[in-house]
Amino acid sequence: MLPWVKKVAIRRVLPHKLIIDIDERRPIAFARVARNILLIDEQGVLLENNLETLPHFDFPLIFGIESDYETDVLQRNKQRVGLYQELIRSLDKGGAGLSRDVSEVHLQDLGNVSVILNRDTVLVHLGREDFQEKFRRYLATSRELKKKYPHLDSVDLRYQNQVVIRTLDRKSVRKVSRRDLVGG
């Protein structure tokens, strides 16, 4: 099996001609698998990397992808990639273009999409819906959160009227209401 080859069609044209059509897979993200970083396509198929072509791609790094070509593994990877694509569509909806700010997408838990932004270290939990709204809420409050909690590790936005934060200093978890963030 050649992972980059999606479909091959071979036709014979008489008297002495053979036509071969090759449809290649198109990568949509990088995937962290064990200690390797591989390209992955929209079907969840891992693609071998050619180190010479890697600089031509500018994708987020996906975590949670499994390494295998067995049917059940491919199905789980396809689910994760589908969730990734849903996230990207949501972040870019209405011409927002917010997906360009995403560095990492964590998909280990299919019930919770988590992201890390470019030039940031905070893991932001977005859940499974309303990605753009929650992403914008983080962008609007991140500066204040980082000022108030200098060792901020993660921000959980899955809850309607509160933000749950985790800090590195004592691995403490705090619940902060949206009103507290806005009001000071």
Side-chain angles (χ1 to χ4, degrees), residues 27-53:
I28 62 165
F30 289 109
R32 177 76 163 177
V33 181
R35 292 189 169 157
N36 300 314
I37 296 177
L38 302 170
L39 289 165
I40 191 165
D41 80 342
E42 70 277 353
Q43 298 295 314
V45 175
L46 294 167
L47 308 172
E48 297 172 5
N49 287 340
N50 178 346
L51 294 177
E52 295 170 4
T53 62

Side-chain angles (χ1 to χ4, degrees), residues 5-67:
V5 176
K6 188 174 189 176
K7 184 172 67 173
V8 176
I10 302 173
R11 296 179 287 144
R12 181 175 177 199
V13 178
L14 295 175
H16 305 293
K17 198 173 191 182
L18 193 61
I19 298 174
I20 302 173
D21 293 316
I22 299 175
D23 187 13
E24 289 188 350
R25 296 183 181 278
R26 187 178 57 84
I28 62 165
F30 289 109
R32 177 76 163 177
V33 181
R35 292 189 169 157
N36 300 314
I37 296 177
L38 302 170
L39 289 165
I40 191 165
D41 80 342
E42 70 277 353
Q43 298 295 314
V45 175
L46 294 167
L47 308 172
E48 297 172 5
N49 287 340
N50 178 346
L51 294 177
E52 295 170 4
T53 62
L54 284 182
H56 300 317
F57 299 110
D58 184 23
F59 300 128
L61 181 61
I62 297 176
F63 289 81
I65 300 296
E66 299 175 65
S67 171

Side-chain angles (χ1 to χ4, degrees), residues 8 13 19 28 38-39 50 56 65 76 95 104 111 115 119 128 147-148 152-153 157-160 162 168 177-178:
V8 176
V13 178
I19 298 174
I28 62 165
L38 302 170
L39 289 165
N50 178 346
H56 300 317
I65 300 296
R76 286 191 300 270
E104 296 178 11
V115 297
R119 297 172 299 284
R128 276 212 50 122
K147 186 188 298 182
K148 199 169 188 177
L152 189 61
D153 181 48
L157 300 171
R158 292 178 284 177
Y159 309 101
Q160 189 170 9
Q162 65 185 5
L168 285 174
S177 73
R178 291 174 74 180

Side-chain angles (χ1 to χ4, degrees), residues 24-161:
E24 289 188 350
R25 296 183 181 278
R26 187 178 57 84
I28 62 165
F30 289 109
R32 177 76 163 177
V33 181
R35 292 189 169 157
N36 300 314
I37 296 177
L38 302 170
L39 289 165
I40 191 165
D41 80 342
E42 70 277 353
Q43 298 295 314
V45 175
L46 294 167
L47 308 172
E48 297 172 5
N49 287 340
N50 178 346
L51 294 177
E52 295 170 4
T53 62
L54 284 182
H56 300 317
F57 299 110
D58 184 23
F59 300 128
L61 181 61
I62 297 176
F63 289 81
I65 300 296
E66 299 175 65
S67 171
D68 207 333
Y69 292 101
E70 293 180 16
T71 305
D72 58 331
V73 171
L74 287 173
Q75 186 60 36
R76 286 191 300 270
N77 284 349
K78 188 175 181 178
Q79 278 183 289
R80 287 183 171 93
V81 168
L83 195 52
Y84 163 77
Q85 289 176 304
E86 188 179 324
L87 168 73
I88 298 302
R89 276 191 302 274
S90 175
L91 293 179
D92 292 342
K93 189 166 66 178
L98 295 172
S99 69
R100 69 177 174 266
D101 296 329
V102 175
S103 174
E104 296 178 11
V105 179
H106 294 252
L107 299 169
Q108 293 91 330
D109 176 1
L110 286 172
N112 176 33
V113 176
S114 302
V115 297
I116 295 178
L117 280 63
N118 294 324
R119 297 172 299 284
D120 201 350
T121 59
V122 178
L123 184 65
V124 182
H125 301 284
L126 301 173
R128 276 212 50 122
E129 58 192 7
D130 302 323
F131 297 127
Q132 191 179 109
E133 175 190 326
K134 292 172 185 174
F135 193 85
R136 285 183 185 278
R137 189 171 5 141
Y138 174 71
L139 291 176
T141 59
S142 65
R143 183 174 286 150
E144 185 64 32
L145 282 170
K146 289 174 187 176
K147 186 188 298 182
K148 199 169 188 177
Y149 305 102
H151 301 288
L152 189 61
D153 181 48
S154 69
V155 175
D156 196 335
L157 300 171
R158 292 178 284 177
Y159 309 101
Q160 189 170 9
N161 292 318

